[in-house]
Amino acid sequence: AAQKEEEQKVEAFIKDHNVWLRLGKRGEEVALTTDGKEGDGYQSKFQWSPDRRKLIGFRHKKAQEHIVHFVESSPKDQLQPKLHSNSYLKPGDEIAQTKPHLFDIVAKKEVPLDETLFANPWSIGSHRWEKDSSRFTFYYNQRGHGAVRIVAIDAESGGVTALIDDTSKTFVNYSNYNHRQLLESTNEMIWMSERDGWNHLYLFDFGSGQLKNQITKGPWIVRRVDRVDTSKRQIWFQAGGIYPEQDPYYIHYCRINFDGTGLVKLTAGDGTHSIEYSPDREFIVDTYSRVDMPPVNELRRVSDGSLVCPLEKSDASELEATVWQRPEHFVAKGRDGRTDIFGVIYRPSNFDPTKKYPVIEKIYAGPHGSFVPKSFSPCHGAQRWAELGFILVQIDGMGTSHRSKAFHDVCWKNVGDAGFPDRILWIKEAAKKYPYMDISRVGIFGGSAGGQSSTGAVLMHGDFYKVAVSDCGCHDNRMDKIWWNEAWMGWPVGPEYAESSNVTHAHKLQGKLLLIVGELDRNVDPASTMQVVNALVKADRDFDMLIIPGAGHGAAGSAYGKRRQKDYFVRNLLGVEPRWEP
């Protein structure tokens, strides 16, 4: 028996970038492919069918080489500058692509596949053979991110089908909303999708690819899946917006059955929540707070989410007895006149409502998330800026995440929008309620994506924003990292990239602008800032600039960078010369 097994042994290997078989005891070699070549050949990571009669091999095409160079002007260990280089793909570059190929080991030949359903991969993964060797499945994320799907390859015919297919006219938010879980015992898959306009969970039959039912549903979103209980067929998850009367960004904890019944809201209080289970998972300690309310702790039952008893409510009386100013949660309508836009207002500790205060917006409008604080802190970072004599605001405008798909889609091929039509309306509405907010003196600052937005504010909305400080901005989405920008701006690179670029609009600069960049920024190419500088020079526009030697991404976060940013607003919005004690 051992001798017969040795004679029938088959080994797959790579030679000259192609797939070969080595057969039996004598080691006869047979080529299964001949088209592999350097940079576009087959890899030695094979996927054998359980019956060893079929083989999946992967052909891998290398990415193009795109090297970004940096000059370190002032190295610590030598007088002369150093050149650094970094491999860094940008939007539109040729990316590495891997595709599966099917081989019949008995017939010693490749089985042709129609690649239509996986023709242009950004990535593939989750490779899996069925236990009966009947098919091979994998997850496919299409470049441009207009489609993600589970692809199935029939082992006998080579037929290719889409078991689960999610497509979008804009983008599939694969980097944030991407929970998929195969339940082996029942051959089902839990799949996360925004197909109905909100991020929800669905249950599919993995054998046929048929949708069994939508698990969660409504004008709210699943933020995260915490636990899947296959024995009880229940999912434990975090939700946003599940209480329509509350801020939709507040996190709540829930449980639901696979069939969509039995939704239990484990938390209820008006705030954003975190929980801790008892050892027997029969109870939770629920802690929730808001920016304007310190934490509240409650004991709740896991069975139905009911309140057992209050545990503790934080006492902020000593804090309130000081000069501390409570941040204010503020809501105003967005550009469509219907959608609520949420933000926070911070006032200085010596606040006097009879005075007029310039307004500064701290902006980060990256489409990958939402950024306004929701939980309590005695001193949020923005408060430190308010202490200089400003009203500080933070806002989540349209185009950011964690709301409806329509809310998010505003950013599609339109990152330069940055939610400004909503932000400006929000600030104006706040100023109507609080006349001490002087919106004739509005500043804005941010870093990275916020650096792009803050510069864009004084280029395209210079009638409202008068002063901007921008740190390490990704000012042109063609110059920045490939994955983040193609996720929102799309592929192939179209005219929308140029339209969202601060380089394109540099000649429109009004007001004051301080650009800050670290010369060794490996996250965002420093040339992105320098190309804005070039455009401003050509347009004969006045601006200020700070290059920090040896600094990387977030250079303005250094002590010196923070002082220079604050000085700029004190000088140009308050109209006084900064004074700092040594």
Side-chain angles (χ1 to χ4, degrees), residues 308-577:
V308 177
C309 65
L311 293 176
E312 187 175 50
K313 185 176 182 180
S314 300
D315 181 0
S317 58
E318 290 188 23
L319 184 61
E320 291 170 334
T322 70
V323 293
W324 178 72
Q325 289 288 326
R326 186 186 299 272
E328 180 179 350
H329 178 267
F330 190 82
V331 186
K333 298 299 180 184
R335 69 187 79 181
D336 61 3
R338 302 185 307 274
T339 304
D340 284 337
I341 303 297
F342 295 80
V344 178
I345 301 172
Y346 305 88
R347 300 169 180 83
S349 58
N350 60 355
F351 173 68
D352 181 348
T354 65
K355 293 183 177 180
K356 286 279 192 177
Y357 292 87
V359 178
I360 296 178
E361 179 181 356
K362 179 182 179 181
I363 189 170
Y364 194 88
H368 55 282
S370 57
F371 309 99
V372 174
K374 298 298 171 184
S375 58
F376 183 81
S377 172
C379 185
H380 289 278
Q383 184 66 42
R384 294 181 174 90
W385 292 74
E387 292 306 316
L388 296 173
F390 303 107
I391 301 294
L392 251 290
V393 299
Q394 288 182 271
I395 310 156
D396 281 319
M398 291 187 186
T400 52
S401 193
H402 305 322
R403 300 283 291 275
S404 69
K405 185 73 167 72
F407 189 100
H408 201 185
D409 277 349
V410 171
C411 76
W412 174 237
K413 296 186 177 183
N414 190 31
V415 167
D417 176 275
F420 279 121
D422 313 302
R423 297 169 184 278
I424 292 170
L425 287 171
W426 188 97
I427 294 172
K428 287 181 176 179
E429 195 64 27
K432 287 180 184 178
K433 183 176 181 180
Y434 303 117
Y436 51 77
M437 293 176 63
D438 183 0
I439 58 173
S440 70
R441 294 181 291 165
V442 180
I444 187 169
F445 73 98
S448 196
Q452 178 181 9
S453 299
S454 53
T455 293
V458 289
L459 300 184
M460 291 174 276
H461 304 279
D463 57 335
F464 185 78
Y465 294 96
K466 302 302 193 297
V467 182
V469 176
S470 302
D471 176 30
C472 57
C474 41
H475 297 281
D476 189 314
N477 300 105
R478 296 166 295 186
M479 289 289 293
D480 191 29
K481 66 194 75 64
I482 187 170
W483 82 266
W484 192 89
N485 294 276
E486 285 194 7
W488 321 114
M489 293 297 291
W491 178 92
V493 172
E496 301 86 2
Y497 277 81
E499 182 57 31
S500 282
S501 170
N502 287 335
V503 175
T504 302
H505 300 281
H507 65 283
K508 302 175 183 177
L509 175 64
Q510 300 180 56
K512 296 286 186 176
L513 171 63
L514 171 60
L515 296 169
I516 303 176
V517 67
E519 66 179 8
L520 297 181
D521 191 339
R522 287 176 168 80
N523 187 326
V524 175
D525 187 345
S528 186
T529 295
M530 298 308 296
Q531 289 182 1
V532 174
V533 169
N534 183 51
L536 290 168
V537 170
K538 288 182 176 180
D540 196 26
R541 291 291 188 270
D542 290 339
F543 64 97
D544 296 288
M545 185 173 188
L546 171 62
I547 302 174
I548 302 183
H553 198 58
S558 65
Y560 180 77
K562 289 177 181 178
R563 181 180 69 79
R564 287 293 303 273
Q565 291 184 81
K566 292 174 180 176
D567 283 357
Y568 203 74
F569 288 116
V570 168
R571 187 176 291 114
N572 292 295
L573 280 183
L574 288 179
V576 299
E577 198 60 29

Side-chain angles (χ1 to χ4, degrees), residues 89-121:
L89 291 184
K90 297 184 179 183
D93 285 350
E94 293 182 15
I95 63 172
Q97 291 192 324
T98 302
K99 295 180 181 180
H101 288 250
L102 175 64
F103 302 98
D104 186 325
I105 301 304
V106 177
K108 302 180 182 64
K109 66 177 184 180
E110 182 173 0
V111 179
L113 302 177
D114 180 352
E115 295 185 352
T116 302
L117 289 174
F118 57 95
N120 188 21

Side-chain angles (χ1 to χ4, degrees), residues 208-238:
S208 65
Q210 292 297 309
L211 175 65
K212 299 184 74 170
N213 59 267
Q214 184 169 347
I215 301 172
T216 60
K217 190 174 185 178
W220 50 273
I221 67 168
V222 175
R223 290 283 296 264
R224 177 179 172 179
V225 173
D226 289 329
R227 178 173 174 246
V228 175
D229 187 330
T230 55
S231 61
K232 294 183 178 179
R233 294 181 66 80
Q234 293 178 333
I235 300 173
W236 307 68
F237 65 95
Q238 298 174 27

